[in-house]
Amino acid sequence: MKTQVAIIGAGPAGLLLGHLLRAEGIDCVIVERQSPDYVLGRIRAGVLERTTTDLLDRLGVNERLHSEGLKEAGFALADGERLIRIDTLGLTGKYVTVYGQTEVTRDLMDVAPERGLEIIYEAADVALHEVDSDNPYVTFEKEGVTQRIDAQFLAGCDGYYGPSRKAIPAHVAKEFERVYPFGWLGILADVAPCHEELIYANHERGFALASMRSRTRSRYYIDVPLSEKVEDWSDERLWDELAVRLGPEAAANMTRGPSIEKSIAPLRSYVFEPMRHGRLFLAGDAAHIVPPTGAKGLNLAASDVAYLSDAFTRFFNHGDNDAIAGYSAKALARVWKAERFSWSLTKLMHRFPDDGSFERQMQMAELDYIASSEAAQTSIAENYVGLPL
């Protein structure tokens, strides 16, 4: 098989890239090692920046997004006693949309056949070859038969554990990582949200987040030590802890219910440089991971794809090589800013094991300053809704 761009990974990054390329008449094929049901079974983020929703609007894959998505004009930071509202719409003129990553993936998958986007699912042993040559290719096994795709470019959208990043030689790579000493214990339940907007809470007992997937489905988190096990947290125990950490106003409006899904996700900040080597380009989690504080993961993948699809379009349709050459530097400039915001919000809202009374007072002073400063709120709002491309 031959194509112009071979895309590894059929998560939202790979699907977005594939659709954007097909819309420009560029030939591409997506290779995914898992089944469609497995891909859709991943419970992930649900807050979309304007950058991400603009891409879906551009593709016309937005009917459910606009009919079911919840437009959020702000969010709140809680310090145990009060809610400090960040008016993102008033401060920036932009809102975010609550719409699950699973739903984004489903929408992109559903329209793929009618738009001529070929996706090969359940491709085993995917490997990338000769990425620094003019003739890169991908091999995989499908139903016991080894197959090969020759392409002009390869796009690694296969996440942190995929093969794409590993195809870049160690001597040209730089890795930056911060592993956090806690994870997020999350519960998904079919209950009404406790508040109309998201709440990030800093309590003396630890962090909590109140979020939602819809008007009838809620997602809550608390931070726990990495040694904790999900089975040690009954629904009742988790609801009790959430009520304490979120504070009295949120707790008074919290509806409890049985969990649909419950899990612990470790937190890390990670960046891989460069995001391009030869004919291989990385996008999304293949190149960077952010802690979920601030909801940057999927949105950062979308901005990578926006840059990369533009670079490929300029190359194939206009003979312009500059965007291809500049992709890594341009994408990384935005990646590091998003990493900074996620890291700083994580530091502000969580209790670290080594923190003492001084660090606690610094957090409280920072939250008090944010509560009284429009400048501080504007800075947070600008980052939360997404910096411009």
Side-chain angles (χ1 to χ4, degrees), residues 344-362:
S344 64
L345 194 57
T346 301
K347 286 284 289 181
L348 175 63
M349 303 307 294
H350 292 74
R351 301 291 304 278
F352 284 70
D354 294 337
D355 285 354
S357 57
F358 178 83
E359 286 79 10
R360 177 65 176 162
Q361 289 300 318
M362 289 299 96

Side-chain angles (χ1 to χ4, degrees), residues 84 86 130 133 158 173 202 213 225 251 285 313:
I84 305 166
I86 309 297
E130 299 185 21
S133 75
D158 48 349
N202 178 326
R213 291 295 177 268
D285 287 358
T313 299

Side-chain angles (χ1 to χ4, degrees), residues 12 17 46 54 81 93 144 162 172 198 206 218 224 232 252 266 306 344 359-360 383:
L17 179 59
D54 281 352
E81 296 180 358
V172 303
L198 275 68
S218 298
V224 296
D232 294 332
S344 64
E359 286 79 10
R360 177 65 176 162
N383 283 273

Side-chain angles (χ1 to χ4, degrees), residues 142-347:
K142 178 74 174 177
E143 298 176 346
V145 178
T146 299
Q147 301 191 39
R148 169 171 168 160
I149 302 176
D150 291 280
Q152 291 178 258
F153 296 103
L154 309 181
C157 303
D158 48 349
Y160 182 80
Y161 296 103
S164 295
R165 187 178 66 254
K166 300 179 180 68
I168 296 179
H171 71 273
V172 303
K174 292 181 180 179
E175 295 181 275
F176 306 85
E177 187 172 34
R178 171 71 160 98
V179 177
Y180 296 91
F182 41 71
W184 276 17
L185 169 60
I187 183 172
L188 185 70
D190 277 331
V191 295
C194 69
H195 195 266
E196 61 184 6
E197 297 174 342
L198 275 68
I199 302 173
Y200 291 85
N202 178 326
H203 189 272
E204 61 182 9
R205 291 176 62 92
F207 167 83
L209 170 63
S211 64
M212 72 285 287
R213 291 295 177 268
S214 70
R215 295 298 183 197
T216 58
R217 177 167 289 187
S218 298
R219 185 72 160 162
Y220 291 91
Y221 296 94
I222 62 170
D223 72 319
V224 296
L226 294 174
S227 57
E228 291 286 317
K229 293 180 171 53
V230 174
E231 51 267 29
D232 294 332
W233 285 85
S234 66
D235 288 0
E236 183 180 8
R237 181 189 177 193
L238 183 48
W239 287 119
D240 287 344
E241 190 66 21
L242 282 162
V244 172
R245 296 191 190 187
L246 288 170
E249 183 176 340
N253 296 301
M254 191 169 67
T255 303
R256 302 184 180 210
S259 60
I260 299 171
E261 190 268 348
K262 196 160 48 177
S263 59
I264 296 177
L267 271 64
R268 65 152 55 94
S269 296
Y270 174 82
V271 178
F272 181 92
E273 297 184 359
M275 289 176 62
R276 174 213 174 182
H277 178 70
R279 294 289 180 119
L280 169 61
F281 298 77
L282 303 180
D285 287 358
H288 43 74
I289 302 288
V290 290
T293 329
K296 293 298 163 200
L298 170 59
N299 295 300
L300 202 51
S303 66
D304 290 346
V305 166
Y307 292 139
L308 188 54
S309 62
D310 178 66
F312 285 147
T313 299
R314 291 189 187 188
F315 179 86
F316 285 114
N317 294 351
H318 306 287
D320 181 357
N321 191 54
D322 289 347
I324 288 285
Y327 166 72
S328 181
K330 190 172 186 178
L332 281 168
R334 197 173 192 275
V335 165
W336 277 114
K337 292 182 179 69
E339 290 279 356
R340 182 209 67 81
F341 176 68
S342 298
W343 168 80
S344 64
L345 194 57
T346 301
K347 286 284 289 181

